[in-house]
Amino acid sequence: MKLLEDMILEKGKVINEDILKVNSFLNHQVDCNLMKEIGKDFANHFRNNNITKVFTIESSGIAPALMTSLELNVPLVILKKQTSSTLTDVYQATVKSFTKNCEYNLTLSKEFISPDDRVLIIDDFLANGEAAKGAIKLVTDGGAQVSGIGIVIEKAFQPGRKILDDAGYEAYSLARIKSLKDNKIEFINTL
Ligand code: 5GP
């Protein structure tokens, strides 16, 4: 997606050769017009997959996932990273955080999934595929089907893409980064 790649080049900050900071338009401040276009792109790509719900992981997946839900006219379910006394009767998956070097319990209340659901999982980044694997586990624990995975920024040089491909999931990324070496952002040419 050209608009997104241009934004990454203009405003993204290479932290090191593994991490890109996009706090000015996705992870902290949010560019809502960009989110709208992202939502349209994901919705157009997955429109024929009979999606019944969009799932995302709090908190950075929420903005693009919300716009996608609006476009597809289906509910958005936010998978929780923190458990709470108000969340009972849940499915859970342990996820190793890429950026925070810790583990958390991704949590889904059983009331928001049923075996009829065809779920589109949306997240901001794909790195090692841990968050996506956790979300997939919750969907399958609920007896539902993962009907697609939408990633805003894929770091294609990390293992997540291969893990999702090998497991047979359709992962669609709007920007695919080939390398962050030498403080330079290089994309896989998808245009
Ligand atoms: P994974 O679970 O695929 O290893 O990592 C994906 C998750 O880690 C995303 O939900 C995102 O929050 C975070 N993440 C991974 N790589 C980056 C990165 O380069 N920059 C930022 N800002 N977040 C990242």
Side-chain angles (χ1 to χ4, degrees), residues 59-146:
S59 57
S60 294
I62 296 174
L66 176 69
M67 300 315 288
T68 309
S69 299
L70 260 179
E71 284 290 327
L72 290 172
N73 196 25
V74 296
L76 168 65
V77 176
I78 300 162
L79 301 174
K80 302 285 192 179
K81 282 182 179 165
Q82 273 158 11
T83 38
S84 132
S85 57
T86 60
L87 267 185
T88 51
D89 209 14
V90 294
Y91 296 115
Q92 285 192 310
T94 306
V95 173
K96 194 168 182 304
S97 166
F98 185 86
T99 42
K100 298 197 183 79
N101 199 24
C102 65
E103 285 191 346
Y104 59 88
N105 274 327
L106 198 62
T107 302
L108 165 67
S109 174
K110 290 184 182 175
E111 67 184 298
F112 301 125
I113 189 147
S114 78
D116 300 333
D117 279 323
R118 295 174 56 87
V119 176
L120 171 60
I121 296 168
I122 299 281
D123 204 9
D124 59 340
F125 273 91
L126 177 64
N128 289 337
E130 281 284 310
K133 275 196 297 181
I136 290 167
K137 179 183 180 296
L138 298 185
V139 173
T140 48
D141 282 356
Q145 194 183 325
V146 175

Side-chain angles (χ1 to χ4, degrees), residues 23-88:
N23 270 13
S24 63
F25 62 91
L26 180 58
N27 287 157
H28 197 357
Q29 175 171 266
V30 175
D31 183 322
C32 299
N33 285 315
L34 178 66
M35 294 307 124
K36 202 164 153 188
E37 295 308 312
I38 284 173
K40 280 186 200 159
D41 195 315
F42 279 141
N44 287 339
H45 185 86
F46 289 107
R47 201 168 302 278
N48 296 326
N49 290 24
N50 298 319
I51 303 296
T52 61
K53 283 185 183 177
V54 173
F55 276 28
T56 194
I57 298 157
E58 67 175 354
S59 57
S60 294
I62 296 174
L66 176 69
M67 300 315 288
T68 309
S69 299
L70 260 179
E71 284 290 327
L72 290 172
N73 196 25
V74 296
L76 168 65
V77 176
I78 300 162
L79 301 174
K80 302 285 192 179
K81 282 182 179 165
Q82 273 158 11
T83 38
S84 132
S85 57
T86 60
L87 267 185
T88 51

